[in-house]
Structures are given as C-alpha cells and as structure tokens.
Amino acid sequence: MAEIKVVPLGAGQDVGRSCIIVSLGGKNVMLDCGMHMGYNDDRRFPDFTYINRSGTLTEYLDCVIISHFHLDHCGALPYMSEMVGFDGPIYMTQPTKAICPILLEDYRKITVDRKGEQNFFTSEMIKNCMKKVVPVNLHQTVQVDDELEIKAYYAGHVLGAAMFRITVGSQSVVYTGDYNMTPDRHLGAAWIDKCRPDLLITESTYATTIRDSKRCRERDFLKKVHDCVDKGGKVLIPVFALGRAQELCILLETYWDRMNLKVPIYFSLGLTEKANHYYKLFITWTNQKIRKTFVQRNMFEFKHIKAFDRSYIDNPGAMVVFATPGMLHAGLSLQIFKKWCTSENNMVIMPGYCVAGTVGHKILNGVRRLELENRQTVDVKLSVQYMSFSAHADAKGIMQLIQQCEPKNVMLVHGEAGKMEFLKKKIFQEFGTECTMPANGETVTIATSADIPVEASVNLLKREMSSGAGEGRSPDPKKPKLMHAALVMQGAEMQLLDADQAMNELGLEEHQLRFTSTVVIEYPGEVEQTVDRIYQYVKGKLKDFPVQMSADQSITVADSVLIKVSGDDDEAEKGVLVSWSYQDEDIGSYLLKLLKMGIPST
Amino acid sequence: MKLYCLSHAARHPCFILKFKTVTLMLDCGLDYSSLLHFLPLSLVQSSRWSDLPKWKPKEYKGPYKLEGELRECAGRVFVDSVPEFNVPKITLVDLSEVDVILVSNSHAMLALPYVTEYSGFKGVVYATEPTLQAGRQFMEELVQYIDRCPKVNHASVWKQPEVIKCLPPPLKDAIQPLSWKQCYSLHDVNASLSKVHMVNFNEKLDILGALCVTPLSSGWCIGGCNWLIQSAHEKICYVAGSSTLTTFSKPVDHTALKNADLIILSQLTQTPHVNPDSMIGEFCLNAALTVKKGGNVLVPVYPAGVTYDLFECLSVHMESCGLAGVPMYFISPVADSSLAYSNIFAEWLSDSKQSKVYLPEPPFPHAELISAGRLRHYPSIHGDFSKDFKTPCVVFTGHPSLRFGDVVHFIEMWGKTSANAIIFTEPDFYYLDALAPYQPLAMKVLCCPIDTSLNFSQTNKLIKDLKPQHFVISETYTRPPPLYPHRTDLVVDPDLQVMTYKPGEVLTLPIRRKFEQINIDPELAGSLMPIEVRPGVSVAMVTGSLVTRDNQHTLKPLQTSGLKRKLETSSDRKRRSYFWGALDVQEFVDKLNKEGLTDVKVEDSAEGHIVHLPNEDTLIQLEEGSTHIICEGNEGLRVKLKDILLQCLNRL
C-alpha cells in the first residue's frame, strides 16, 4: 500500500513560519517557507536541518511552492534558498512573484537596518532567490518533472493567493495556504474542483469562529471610525501594505464620499501607490465586480486617501492613518501607536490576527501597560478595537472547502491546537473523514489506495457494455455490467483482453474437458416418448438455460450438455447418456443426479 | 472518428470533430468576405452612395423585382442593403448534440452567437480570458458599427438563383448568399458569451469523462491557443493561428504537439508572399513620410491584436523622425476596454512584456503613450474627438472591410486629397476590393499586410518536427494562392501524406481505437492471482462488475447479490477457469494410483492415449488439447477423476 508522509516544520498547531514537507510517490515538496513574527531568534525560521543536517537542500527537495506573499508564508525563502541552499524550482503565482520581493526587502530593512541584526539575508540574496521562481497561472497544470504535477486554485485571501494541488501518479495532496470562502470588497471567494485528493492540508486560523455577516462588521467599523473622528480623535489602523489595507481603503473611500467627510485619511507607506498599482495590473485576480467595472473606474485610484508623512504624527485634530506593519511589532505603526496610545480620545483598530509576542497581541489581550525597549513602560489609554477583517475561512468556510474537494483525509495546520481539536471532531462527525493535526516536527503517514489503470480492449469493452441489451432495448448504462476477462501483465503494461483472445495471443491452448456418464431409467414406451418426456422435464427444471431438442432426438442444454436416450421401444429400461464439458460442470452433474432419481410420469 | 468541415474559408475555421462519444466543435469563425459585395454604411448623411445609378441585369426577364437592390459604382455592382455574413454551414449538424466548443482565438469565434443561440445548443464553450474579452470587443464593435447606421432595405431578390446567374462578377460568384445572415444583436452576443467558460493555458479539462482537452499557447495573439484533444490512447492536435514569431504574446508551445495521431491545421498566413517584419517597417516609413509632408494617415484596423504592435512600432519610429508631436487617434466603440484589458493580461504575454509588471509598469507602451497624450482614444468621431482633432495625424479605426465604422467617414473626408494616405495592414480583405465602392479616389493607397501566423515553409518545418501520424489541412493550402498562381513554393507540402478537405466535406479519420483505459478497484486487483505463463508474462482471470460513471469505467469486485445471481445463471459463469498445457500421462496414472485406483491400463490411440479402468467400467480418452471421461453413473468416481485430472493441468 502506498503512503504519503507529511511533516510540518512550521505552522504545526501554530500560526507562523508556515513550512510543510510533503513526500509522495518518491517526491518531496516544500509547501511555503515562512517566518514567525513572534520570535527574533532562531525560532523565527523553520528548522531546515530537519531535512539535511548540513549542506544544501537541492537534492532533498523536488520543488518549493509558495501559497501567497504574507511573510509568515514566504519570509524564510531567501534564507532557505540562498543561505541554506536550494537551487530547484520555486513556484508561485504572478502577483505573489511581483509583491513578495518587496515585502521581503521591507522585512530585511526592519531587521537589519533598524534592529541592527547581522547574518541576515541581503537584498542581493532576495534578488537571486526570485530568479529561481517559476510563475504559475491558475488552473494551469505545471509539470515539475515527468511525474510531479502541480495545479493552482484561487484562494481569495490576498491578491495572488493560491491553493495548490500536488499530484504524483494516482496520489494527490491539496494545500490551501490561507484562503477565504466569502468574497470581499476586492477579492473573490476561494474555489476548488471536486478533485478528491488523498489529503487536504488546510489552514485553521478561525477553526472555531463563525463570523457574522460581513455587512454588519463593515458598518460597525465605519461607525467606530466616524464616532472617533467626530470627537476629534485619531484613528490608527495597523495593516500590512497589501491586502486588507486595500479593502479597508475602498470601504473608507466610499464612506467618505457618501458622508462628505473632510477628515484626512493617510496611508503610511511610499509603497501605497506602488501597491495600488499592482492591484491595477492584476485586476484579473480581484473580484467579479471590480473586474467588470475597471474599464470605467478603477477602484484602486483613491480620491480621499493621501500619503502620510512622519511629521503628521504630532498634527492636531482628527485623522485616520493606515500604517504598517499590521501587528504593531515594529516600524511606523508601532511608532505612531506609542505617541497616540496615551490619549483616551484616540483609537486603534486591529483589523487582523496578531501573533503571540507582538504588541498587537498584547493590547488585544487587555494589557494596558506595555514594556518597551530600554525598560521604559507606557500606559495604554486609547480605545483598542478588534475587527476581524482577516480574510481567512471560518469554520463554516473550512467545512465548505472540504465538501468542495472531497478529500480522503484532512490535516489541520496554521491554527491553535485547542481550536483544531474542536474542528477535527466536527469534520469527523460531518464527513467521517479522518483528520490529523501534527505539531512541528511530527510526521504523519497516510496510507493511500488507488484504482489501478489498465488498458482494456475496445472490442471487449464494447461487447460488455452492450450486454444486457435485448430486442430493441439499449442497455441501461447505469447498471453495472458483469465483466470477465484476462488481465495480461507484461512488464509495466497491463492489458485487459477477452479470455479467448488472450489465450490465443499468448499461444496457450485451452484443454477441453468432457464427461460422459450413462444412467439407466425405467420408462416404458417408445424411445421417442422418453426423449420427449425428458425434454419437458429438464426444461421445467432449468428455466434459466436454453434447452433444445434436435431432429436426431438428442437434447442439448446450455452450450455443451447433450442428452441421448438409447434402448428399445418395447423395453422399459432405457439408457440415458449425459455428456458435458467442464464449463457446464454444474449443469451436467445436476442433470445426472436428477435423471438418476428417475423421471416422474405425467 | 469523423471531421465535418463547416467553414467556407480556412481563415475562419469551424469544424465538428466526433471522437468517442463526444461531439466537439473546433472554432466558430465568421467569414466576412461577403461584406465586400455591399455598399458602405455611412455614419454621416452622404449622397455619395444614394446617388449611385441603380443597376438591373439586362438578361433577366423573370418575375422578381430588384427594386433598386443593386447599384453601380466605378464599373462594379454592389448590393444596397444591410450587410450580411456568410456563417459556417451549421445546418450540416445538429447543434443540440454539440458537447463543447473549443475556441482558439478571438478571430475564430465571431460566429458564436449564430451557433449557441436559438439553435438548441446545450454545451459549454471553452476559451481563454483574453480570447473571450477580445472576442467580445470584436463582436460589440461589429454590432455597434452596424446599429449606428440603421438601413431600411433588406435586399434578398438578387440572391435568387435565376437572378444571381445574370449578375456580373464578382457578385455572380458570391458563395451561397441565400444562407447569409444579418449581424446578431448585442443581446445575442451577451447570451452567447455567457456560455463561455474561461480556461488557462495548460489547464487540463475533462470532457464528459471521455476526453481531456488542453489549451496550449499558439503565440499568435494574446491568449491564442492550440488545442490538445486526448483520450488515454489517442492524441489529436488542433492547431489554429499559430505564430513562431515573437511579438507580444506568450511564445508558441509546440513540444506538447509532438507525436500526435492527427494534426488538424488551420488559419495559416494569408500573406505568404511577404514578411510581416518588413511590412511593419514599411508601414512605419510610409506613415511617417505622409505625415512629414502634411498629410494624414488612415489605418483601418481591428480593435485589438496587431493594432498594439502598430502603436508601439509607429510611436518609436515617429519619435526617431522627430514627429513625436503628431497625434495618433484610436477610434472604436471598444477602444477603452481594448486598451485597458491589454494591460491586465500580463500572464499571457511574452517574458519581456511580463517582466514589466514586476516593476510595476503596464506591459504595453501604449499606456505610457496615452498618459503622455500621444495616443488618444475615442468611442467615435462624434463628441470629444471633433474638439480635440488636430491634423496632420494618424487615425486607427475600423472596420477593415471599409463597409461600416468610422473609417467610412475618414475616407470620404480625406479621399479627395492626394497628400493623405490609407495604409492597409489587416490581411482579411483584398485592398482593391475593399476600396472599390470609393473609387475614384485621390488619396495614396498603400498595402502593408501584416499576418504573423504560420507561413508555408514554417508549416512544413513544423510538421516535420511534430511528426504526426496523420495530417489534415484545407485543400486551398496545397496549391499556390489564387493571386500568385506561379508561386509553387507557397504550398504546404510536408514529407507526409496529407488529408485535405473542402468546405462542407466530412472526413473519416483513419484512427482506429484498440484500447481504452479502465480502472481496476484495488480490492479486486489484490484478489487476483496472476500466473506466469511465459517468463515475464503473467495472466490473471478477472471477473468483476464493470461500473461506468461519467464515461469512466471501473472494474469492481462483485458485490451486489443481483450480479452474483447473474453470474451463476448467465453463460459467463462457466468461463471462470481455463485449463491449458500438455497432460503428462504418466503423472496422471501415478496420481490415480495414489488415490487408490490401481487397476489402470494405458493404451496408445491414434490421437493420444486411452486410460482404461476396467473395474470401474470407465474410459478416459487423452488427446492433445482435450480429455474425455466416459463412465457409468458413478458420480463419486467421476468427480474424483476430474479433480485428479485438473491437478495435472495449468489453470488460469
């Protein structure tokens, strides 16, 4: 029995540094190569020594697949490919290929330039790493080598996010990366066909959440922002440059338009304009509505939203600022937060998930006194709001995806252990599908079985398919047909042939076996009458088989059984000869037994 | 396997392929050559054509009244009517039986509304997204051009067989005008295109479980593709509008086309006598020259495709001539969407264009030209255009047939001045035929046809590389083009037998299917007991229930009681075991002795041996390939003998 082995190097019962190694049909694939935002030490990257204690990974991995541009999915890529060493192909979608190096460079700058870390990957390494990237399009079947095949599906989570199906022979695995089953203001919903993979590896960030309607959350968000600026407060919305930010911008832009508001909205990064430009060029990856209207009006050209300058931090009066990064762990968003958090008039809205250890995570958990670097502390007075705009599938969405692709096994990653347990039970209850949730470094082995493809002779198939057809009736195609054939195996080739044809082609001569037995019965009268009586009797007993009498007074039953009567018309004792070949053994022996018991007279 | 050839011209292909249980339509091209028989539709009131003398055939004396259906212009007779199109011969097939339509490119789909609407069509249309969008633009443009100039007359009398034979050529030679159809409506376009399912290059599509089809880049236009049509054993390639030149689209992918059982080839170049690169150079030179002398340049174009190349090359050339200030106008009802869409299809473009989006910059330079104000686009000559319009200038507008669209207006406006020039780049219409109703004309006429699809020597080379078993092309490609009868080099002639077709023909394709893939359930497979009958060859008898779902066959273990019962009663039952091999008499006798049958006599007979058991009154005839046991009614003995005998034989 074949098997698939999976081991998460990251994202096992955790969110962060997604990196999963899948082995199937002799191929090894790395799914994502992310960093962990909660750590600043070695733990921020997956432990690649698991694959190879020292030296490069090229000979151990057939390819690397990156699901989307978030750093917890691609942040370790230059480290892996350039510092550990990997020269094989790295697959990602076009928008991911375009945006990922920008975020990596951003990450590198924060780590090296601001935090002053040494021994980190360089800009040059990011460039070299990106040269190894092969772009894939949605639904395109990419042949990595003769046996390994991958196919991308729309995941909806961020621009260019994709789910991947990995196929080797009859085995297949689907990896979701992060996905969203409900369309939002700029992206569509994730979709996959009924590909029935042996294993579905799905994220489970919101394993226990069922989100309320998106409209309500949006209204809530707008009301909170509006109330705060009405009172002259400042609103900080920490975001990542790409993704959620664009959706919230569209939301605020239309609201400002409708309410005719004049309070300034800023976007913190020089990247903004560039980021929006990517959205304009990759319109095909956005949702139906934006795609339909982009010729008339491009949704990513904002009227109300202006670029932010560091000097605006101390400006008096109300304003709304989008600042990066999204978890308040570094950079401008943290800087603004430190300035504004001391006033209760102000507000911070956390629109996404925050990893443990980040300032965002702390304040969301009610920490009101923060320890900063240099042992300073600061009191958090501003209002902290959490709005789940994060584009992950909720429990309902995960169940939907399972229903869509009908996997034989499910594995949960990218979530918290407690929540996974709950979802795991639910999946088993609803679908009866086995579900695993390995921790990092824990190997899961999944046994697979698959149909065996063989080449069937078209003639044989046509004959069998048309069996069951009677006079004027065509066979019911839905009814299973009985098939009997010879499977000829020669090397790797397997052919299903008509038995006689196979024997013939292989030069095997069939050995015919025939039996002839004689019984004596008492049946007075003419031989002809005896024959006729036997004929009627046998016919009555064997309704399912053709019974015929021929001109020479012999009776034939089925294909090979022959009954002959010998004796004199004057004598009561008659000899009955029964002859049959082995294929009619059961009929032959049955008839013999029957006739031995004598024939009841009419 | 059959191939129905429904198109009138190889340039606008339309086939039906019947393969296994599936009916596929390959492309759905619309032949516009019929347009040239009609008078142009003028956008602004013009007496030019309404004043033309009416024309009547002198020989015709029949009952039909032509009522001014025909008019004469510069010695040629035209139909004064709403223009009509020569649609594919869809009456040859039942369209409700078509399962899928595979569309190769935007030029090969314009008859789609005639096929999918009001026809009982229930299938799916497959096309790439750029093909769908460009196709939509072509159709919308066509509909709007015609709707803009409502015309009351629907001429039909001239088509009657007894009338048409009295008309002068070329009208006399019009191909089946009675089946020509008026343009579809916008509603029909939308309804038809809503049936299109968008696909990506190298996406494997399952067709009713029976076939797998895959679009592969054809390199000819954005999203243009060739189709791989495969079952587990047969491979058919449909190659339409391919190009080996590198322009802006993704290069042609022909490795997957190799070693096919059959290649069907269509949409080869219409201008085999010229090189597209030198034509585009000539176009730029002539345009710049005209503008330099103060003249205006008119370029009749389609709203997408090569037009992008013209923008790019001409703008570069003008800049190098110091003419960057000369405006280029692109006028089409779909100009805005054509330009907008071209810049969001990075995934479908050549590597060099594609890499621009990583910067991020629009892949086509026309985005830059538009923001710099060098290229301006308008839905029509009305409105903003009339305000902005400055001369000298270069105008790109449709329709290349010159029978409708804004181009009609420009010819009327500029035609009288010899400083102006009209430059033909689209090869679909012969320029002199297109210009016929405008004669006499003073403006310069230049012809630089640009057709980047495969030429004949490229085709011959490609076929040599691909090595198909069989090869189908239009018979027109096997003889020199009509305009160049002496150019015997301009034919497709690979070192391979060629099957040719004419419009309306049905070809029986020489592909015999011998094997089909079926799956054996792992449980059933595990229960099989293969026997090695020869070194390296094993055989196992399989009995199972054959389940067919979605044209996929799976052999499963017998489970349902109904089938088991059937097994016991049907004639298949007895074919469960096969015995073969030569029987060793001595071995048989030894075994009999072992079982306590010691009174055994063996005699030689003519065909083999006779084993006699005198005590039991039983005879066993052993011959090559058969054994006959003849005994009295002792059933126990018979069964014993049978079992001993079977031990001596090989069983399957």
Side-chain angles (χ1 to χ4, degrees):
Chain A
M1 183 122 327
E3 57 185 32
I4 296 174
K5 280 191 176 166
V6 186
V7 52
L9 301 184
Q13 303 181 359
D14 186 17
V15 175
R17 59 165 180 184
S18 284
C19 185
I20 297 147
I21 309 294
V22 174
S23 308
L24 69 166
K27 304 284 169 184
N28 300 313
V29 177
M30 179 187 281
L31 304 170
D32 279 338
C33 189
M35 54 81 103
H36 201 300
M37 269 167 271
Y39 300 115
N40 281 322
D41 51 19
D42 282 352
R43 288 173 296 174
R44 70 180 156 212
F45 290 151
D47 180 12
F48 298 113
T49 58
Y50 185 96
I51 306 169
N52 185 12
R53 211 138 264 298
S54 59
T56 74
L57 306 178
T58 310
E59 57 187 303
Y60 297 92
L61 291 176
D62 292 279
C63 74
V64 173
I65 294 171
I66 301 294
S67 64
H68 64 285
F69 58 63
H70 278 159
L71 289 173
D72 60 328
H73 292 261
C74 69
L77 195 59
Y79 171 76
M80 192 273 305
S81 77
E82 305 310 305
M83 297 173 78
V84 179
F86 175 68
D87 295 325
I90 301 168
Y91 294 97
M92 54 177 85
T93 66
Q94 294 247 13
T96 307
K97 187 184 173 186
I99 295 163
C100 166
I102 297 168
L103 298 188
L104 287 170
E105 181 58 29
D106 214 40
Y107 172 42
R108 189 198 66 79
K109 267 193 201 142
I110 289 178
T111 315
V112 177
D113 300 355
R114 212 162 288 161
K115 294 191 192 153
E117 272 191 53
Q118 309 283 311
N119 197 23
F120 204 69
F121 55 77
T122 63
S123 301
E124 199 53 33
M125 286 177 184
I126 299 176
K127 270 193 199 118
N128 290 335
C129 167
M130 294 316 289
K131 281 182 195 149
K132 296 172 185 167
V133 172
V134 182
V136 291
N137 295 335
L138 286 181
H139 302 171
Q140 171 194 11
T141 305
V142 177
Q143 215 69 47
V144 177
D145 58 35
D146 287 347
E147 291 156 334
L148 176 59
E149 201 180 277
I150 62 173
K151 179 175 177 181
Y153 295 92
Y154 191 76
H157 171 69
V158 287
L159 194 75
M163 310 190 274
F164 282 87
R165 185 175 71 175
I166 302 106
T167 310
V168 179
S170 59
Q171 295 182 312
S172 64
V173 173
V174 168
Y175 172 61
T176 64
D178 293 353
Y179 64 105
N180 184 11
M181 295 298 284
T182 41
D184 62 29
R185 277 185 185 261
H186 74 291
L187 297 169
W191 178 86
I192 192 162
D193 51 14
K194 209 172 270 318
C195 55
R196 299 192 177 95
D198 293 302
L199 174 65
L200 169 74
I201 305 174
T202 174
E203 65 133 324
S204 50
T205 322
Y206 291 130
T208 55
T209 325
I210 304 261
R211 278 175 297 168
D212 47 357
S213 111
K214 185 118 191 177
R215 292 271 160 212
C216 295
R217 264 178 293 145
E218 286 174 0
R219 216 179 306 131
D220 227 35
F221 166 78
L222 293 168
K223 190 172 179 302
K224 279 179 181 159
V225 173
H226 197 168
D227 287 353
C228 182
V229 295
D230 256 1
K231 282 183 253 157
K234 297 174 168 55
V235 182
L236 171 66
I237 309 171
V239 287
F240 286 98
L242 290 133
R244 232 29 32 206
Q246 277 68 26
E247 189 187 351
L248 295 178
C249 282
I250 293 177
L251 197 62
L252 280 187
E253 168 92 6
T254 41
Y255 187 74
W256 251 237
D257 235 14
R258 200 172 69 229
M259 307 300 281
N260 201 14
L261 296 181
K262 295 285 178 266
V263 176
I265 309 176
Y266 298 112
F267 204 116
S268 77
L269 226 55
L271 185 59
T272 329
E273 210 170 321
K274 216 170 162 187
N276 291 338
H277 210 108
Y278 281 115
Y279 276 82
K280 285 186 228 162
L281 292 173
F282 289 113
I283 286 283
T284 49
W285 286 80
T286 59
N287 69 24
Q288 197 93 40
K289 193 181 157 209
I290 295 186
R291 287 162 57 168
K292 259 202 174 131
T293 54
F294 90 101
V295 176
Q296 287 77 41
R297 167 165 163 56
N298 199 315
M299 290 288 267
F300 299 104
E301 276 162 20
F302 301 119
K303 245 184 9 222
H304 297 278
I305 301 166
K306 306 267 165 19
F308 185 74
D309 189 281
R310 222 167 270 273
S311 64
Y312 299 172
I313 297 183
D314 298 320
N315 278 7
M319 65 173 104
V320 180
V321 176
F322 288 95
T324 56
M327 299 187 192
L328 287 179
H329 57 281
L332 186 66
S333 63
L334 185 59
Q335 204 182 342
I336 299 175
F337 177 79
K338 282 189 229 160
K339 287 264 185 179
W340 291 1
C341 71
T342 49
S343 161
E344 49 274 285
N345 267 344
N346 298 341
M347 180 189 280
V348 62
I349 297 180
M350 305 297 299
Y353 182 88
C354 287
V355 157
T358 60
V359 172
H361 187 263
K362 284 178 195 155
I363 57 166
L364 279 178
N365 282 290
V367 177
R368 301 307 274 178
R369 170 165 288 214
L370 287 174
E371 222 173 286
L372 303 171
E373 55 262 45
N374 314 330
R375 298 180 177 268
Q376 284 180 312
T377 54
V378 62
D379 288 319
V380 179
K381 291 196 183 129
L382 91 176
S383 137
V384 177
Q385 299 289 339
Y386 175 70
M387 305 281 314
S388 164
F389 277 100
S390 197
H392 291 278
D394 59 2
K396 208 168 103 197
I398 297 171
M399 301 302 271
Q400 256 174 0
L401 188 85
I402 294 174
Q403 207 166 13
Q404 261 184 25
C405 72
E406 287 186 4
K408 295 185 188 107
N409 297 277
V410 176
M411 177 181 289
L412 303 178
V413 296
H414 199 282
E416 291 159 32
K419 294 178 178 176
M420 285 179 174
E421 284 290 358
F422 171 83
L423 186 65
K424 182 179 157 176
K425 267 191 216 123
K426 214 172 138 175
I427 291 171
F428 190 76
Q429 275 166 12
E430 198 144 319
F431 303 105
T433 309
E434 288 298 335
C435 188
T436 49
M437 37 174 280
N440 288 337
E442 184 187 331
T443 307
V444 171
T445 305
I446 284 155
T448 60
S449 74
D451 288 349
I452 294 127
V454 300
E455 314 308 339
S457 133
V458 169
N459 290 338
L460 171 77
L461 206 57
K462 277 191 178 155
R463 194 185 66 206
E464 301 293 347
M465 295 289 294
S466 59
S467 75
E471 305 84 50
R473 277 182 299 131
S474 60
D476 177 2
K478 286 193 189 120
K479 221 166 127 191
K481 306 279 184 313
L482 180 89
M483 185 167 191
H484 181 79
L487 183 65
V488 180
M489 289 160 268
Q490 193 160 9
E493 204 171 90
M494 291 196 271
Q495 293 184 338
L496 199 60
L497 304 172
D498 176 78
D500 290 330
Q501 188 196 345
M503 301 274 287
N504 217 339
E505 283 186 8
L506 292 168
L508 303 179
E509 201 183 332
E510 194 182 353
H511 195 94
Q512 299 290 340
L513 224 58
R514 197 157 188 90
F515 306 99
T516 303
S517 281
T518 323
V519 285
V520 178
I521 56 165
E522 294 272 333
Y523 199 87
E526 290 174 17
V527 171
E528 204 169 313
Q529 280 174 349
T530 315
V531 173
D532 198 51
R533 179 63 203 126
I534 293 175
Y535 173 63
Q536 295 302 339
Y537 182 52
V538 169
K539 205 171 175 175
K541 286 282 180 190
L542 292 174
K543 290 203 173 68
D544 288 328
F545 299 97
V547 180
Q548 273 158 352
M549 183 145 68
S550 44
D552 67 344
Q553 294 291 302
S554 58
I555 301 166
T556 55
V557 184
D559 289 340
S560 72
V561 187
L562 187 78
I563 303 173
K564 268 187 168 163
V565 179
S566 58
D568 264 331
D569 290 352
D570 313 336
E571 285 180 37
E573 267 189 8
K574 306 234 162 39
V576 182
L577 176 141
V578 185
S579 176
W580 69 93
S581 70
Y582 180 72
Q583 47 184 316
D584 283 325
E585 167 73 14
D586 40 359
I587 305 179
S589 58
Y590 168 78
L591 282 175
L592 199 67
K593 231 181 271 166
L594 193 74
L595 292 171
K596 258 189 189 168
M597 289 188 283
I599 307 164
S601 47
T602 39
Chain B
M1 193 181 297
K2 283 202 158 64
L3 184 72
Y4 296 65
C5 311
L6 310 186
S7 70
H8 301 278
R11 189 64 209 160
H12 307 286
C14 183
F15 299 95
I16 292 279
L17 177 66
K18 293 204 174 182
F19 185 6
K20 284 174 87 171
T21 51
V22 184
T23 303
L24 303 112
M25 179 178 271
L26 309 176
D27 280 332
C28 198
L30 184 62
D31 183 7
Y32 324 98
S33 61
S34 59
L35 290 176
L36 295 177
H37 297 295
F38 293 86
L39 279 179
L41 299 176
S42 182
L43 195 54
V44 279
Q45 260 324 313
S46 150
S47 58
R48 183 175 182 128
W49 290 292
S50 52
D51 290 352
L52 286 175
K54 288 181 184 165
W55 191 89
K56 257 191 205 161
K58 290 182 189 69
E59 302 85 33
Y60 179 68
K61 300 279 186 291
Y64 293 113
K65 293 268 183 300
L66 273 163
E67 304 289 354
E69 282 189 1
L70 303 175
R71 287 176 191 273
E72 189 180 351
C73 176
R76 229 160 133 156
V77 177
F78 293 93
V79 182
D80 187 13
S81 166
V82 180
E84 292 177 329
F85 299 90
N86 199 358
V87 299
K89 290 176 189 279
I90 42 184
T91 45
L92 275 184
V93 285
D94 179 356
L95 291 175
S96 68
E97 281 175 9
V98 174
D99 300 303
V100 286
I101 302 181
L102 307 180
V103 175
S104 304
N105 53 67
S106 47
H107 291 267
M109 67 185 287
L110 299 188
L112 213 50
Y114 296 114
V115 171
T116 63
E117 303 311 298
Y118 318 109
S119 64
F121 173 75
K122 299 188 289 284
V124 193
V125 184
Y126 288 112
T128 63
E129 185 172 5
T131 297
L132 170 65
Q133 298 303 349
R136 180 188 294 281
Q137 287 154 14
F138 286 7
M139 291 182 192
E140 283 180 1
E141 189 192 57
L142 211 58
V143 172
Q144 293 203 29
Y145 278 158
I146 292 174
D147 284 358
R148 257 187 215 172
C149 316
K151 197 153 178 128
V152 274
N153 7 356
H154 297 286
S156 59
V157 172
W158 69 273
K159 299 176 180 178
Q160 301 307 320
E162 53 265 55
V163 181
I164 200 164
K165 66 178 185 219
C166 305
L167 303 182
L171 204 51
K172 186 181 188 167
D173 308 318
I175 302 154
Q176 297 169 349
L178 279 171
S179 64
W180 291 3
K181 289 200 171 137
Q182 282 180 25
C183 192
Y184 32 71
S185 69
L186 208 53
H187 168 269
D188 295 349
V189 171
N190 288 330
S192 180
L193 295 183
S194 71
K195 298 182 173 91
V196 177
H197 178 94
M198 289 191 285
V199 298
N200 244 313
F201 288 153
N202 296 83
E203 179 171 352
K204 291 182 179 169
L205 301 157
D206 176 87
I207 308 293
L208 306 172
L211 298 177
C212 172
V213 301
T214 315
L216 304 167
S217 178
S218 71
W220 186 51
C221 54
I222 306 179
C225 63
N226 297 319
W227 290 93
L228 203 57
I229 304 161
Q230 286 171 296
S231 68
H233 290 276
E234 296 82 21
K235 175 170 171 178
I236 293 177
C237 302
Y238 172 58
V239 177
S242 285
S243 177
T244 49
L245 296 177
T246 320
T247 55
F248 47 73
S249 41
K250 222 183 180 89
V252 61
D253 174 4
H254 46 57
T255 44
L257 304 175
K258 280 191 176 153
N259 302 317
D261 294 287
L262 174 79
I263 288 184
I264 304 163
L265 192 65
S266 71
Q267 276 189 316
L268 298 185
T269 184
Q270 301 183 89
T271 58
H273 56 291
V274 291
N275 173 331
D277 273 339
S278 57
M279 282 298 114
I280 207 159
E282 210 170 291
F283 161 77
C284 292
L285 269 169
N286 284 313
L289 215 64
T290 307
V291 173
K292 211 175 241 172
K293 289 182 185 157
N296 300 299
V297 179
L298 179 60
V299 194
V301 291
Y302 292 118
V306 178
T307 312
Y308 303 142
D309 279 325
L310 300 182
F311 293 152
E312 186 169 347
C313 295
L314 185 62
S315 63
V316 170
H317 182 76
M318 298 274 255
E319 200 162 349
S320 70
C321 303
L323 295 167
V326 173
M328 299 195 287
Y329 299 112
F330 176 30
I331 302 166
S332 161
V334 296
D336 56 349
S337 70
S338 163
L339 294 170
Y341 272 108
S342 66
N343 274 323
I344 64 161
F345 287 138
E347 284 148 294
W348 307 87
L349 301 178
S350 64
D351 283 348
S352 66
K353 288 254 185 289
Q354 203 176 90
S355 61
K356 290 210 166 175
V357 296
Y358 299 137
L359 297 176
E361 273 171 26
F364 279 99
H366 52 240
E368 171 79 7
L369 294 172
I370 290 166
S371 52
R374 290 180 58 193
L375 176 67
R376 290 158 185 268
H377 60 94
Y378 303 89
S380 83
I381 50 168
H382 297 298
D384 291 344
F385 175 71
S386 40
K387 279 183 268 157
D388 300 350
F389 176 55
K390 282 186 190 72
T391 54
C393 62
V394 183
V395 169
F396 297 87
T397 188
H399 185 270
S401 67
L402 310 189
R403 292 304 177 267
F404 38 73
D406 301 282
V407 73
V408 176
H409 172 78
F410 283 100
I411 301 179
E412 288 192 63
M413 186 166 74
W414 290 343
K416 295 169 214 93
T417 317
S418 61
N420 298 328
I422 180 168
I423 310 181
F424 290 85
T425 56
E426 289 294 344
D428 276 357
F429 304 94
Y430 179 52
Y431 73 105
L432 287 178
D433 288 340
L435 281 173
Y438 297 90
Q439 298 296 357
L441 205 63
M443 80 194 296
K444 261 202 304 285
V445 177
L446 296 152
C447 186
C448 310
I450 298 160
D451 192 334
T452 55
S453 41
L454 289 175
N455 68 28
F456 295 119
S457 63
Q458 285 164 345
T459 304
N460 291 334
K461 187 177 172 298
L462 185 72
I463 294 301
K464 210 177 258 174
D465 288 350
L466 298 182
K467 298 191 186 68
Q469 290 287 314
H470 303 280
F471 175 47
V472 176
I473 47 165
S474 161
E475 58 92 32
T476 53
Y477 292 138
T478 58
R479 42 187 170 78
L483 288 175
Y484 306 92
H486 57 286
R487 293 288 299 271
T488 47
D489 57 320
L490 300 181
V491 294
V492 174
D493 185 20
D495 304 328
L496 187 76
Q497 215 202 320
V498 179
M499 297 179 70
T500 61
Y501 65 86
K502 287 192 178 112
E505 270 186 351
V506 182
L507 301 184
T508 301
L509 301 173
I511 293 177
R512 291 219 61 79
R513 296 197 304 122
K514 283 206 192 89
F515 286 100
E516 184 160 340
Q517 186 167 306
I518 78 167
N519 290 310
I520 297 185
D521 180 273
E523 191 193 325
L524 178 63
S527 73
L528 298 179
M529 286 188 292
I531 289 170
E532 191 166 54
V533 294
R534 266 211 316 260
V537 183
S538 305
V539 181
M541 285 297 159
V542 193
T543 306
S545 99
L546 181 69
V547 180
T548 304
R549 289 271 147 78
D550 302 330
N551 285 317
Q552 298 278 353
H553 313 291
T554 310
L555 200 55
K556 299 201 164 186
L558 292 170
Q559 252 158 7
T560 57
S561 55
L563 258 174
K564 264 211 170 124
R565 209 177 316 121
K566 192 185 171 204
L567 180 72
E568 276 151 18
T569 54
S570 85
S571 62
D572 288 284
R573 150 200 62 100
K574 53 207 158 191
R575 308 295 285 170
R576 283 155 90 182
S577 298
Y578 291 77
F579 296 97
W580 57 279
L583 189 78
D584 183 333
V585 182
Q586 195 49 54
E587 187 193 348
F588 180 54
V589 172
D590 289 350
K591 286 208 159 123
L592 286 176
N593 290 340
K594 232 185 189 171
E595 291 292 322
L597 297 159
T598 46
D599 187 14
V600 179
K601 283 179 190 153
V602 181
E603 291 166 27
D604 286 350
S605 71
E607 281 83 26
H609 307 276
I610 293 174
V611 177
H612 194 199
L613 307 179
N615 286 351
E616 321 288 345
D617 201 4
T618 294
L619 273 180
I620 305 167
Q621 297 173 348
L622 301 175
E623 291 170 9
E624 202 184 326
S626 71
T627 299
H628 195 170
I629 299 176
I630 304 159
C631 56
E632 292 304 311
N634 185 346
E635 183 66 0
L637 175 69
R638 187 191 67 84
V639 172
K640 197 184 215 172
L641 290 174
K642 179 192 80 180
D643 291 343
I644 294 170
L645 186 74
L646 295 185
Q647 284 173 29
C648 301
L649 289 165
N650 296 312
R651 181 190 190 128
L652 275 181

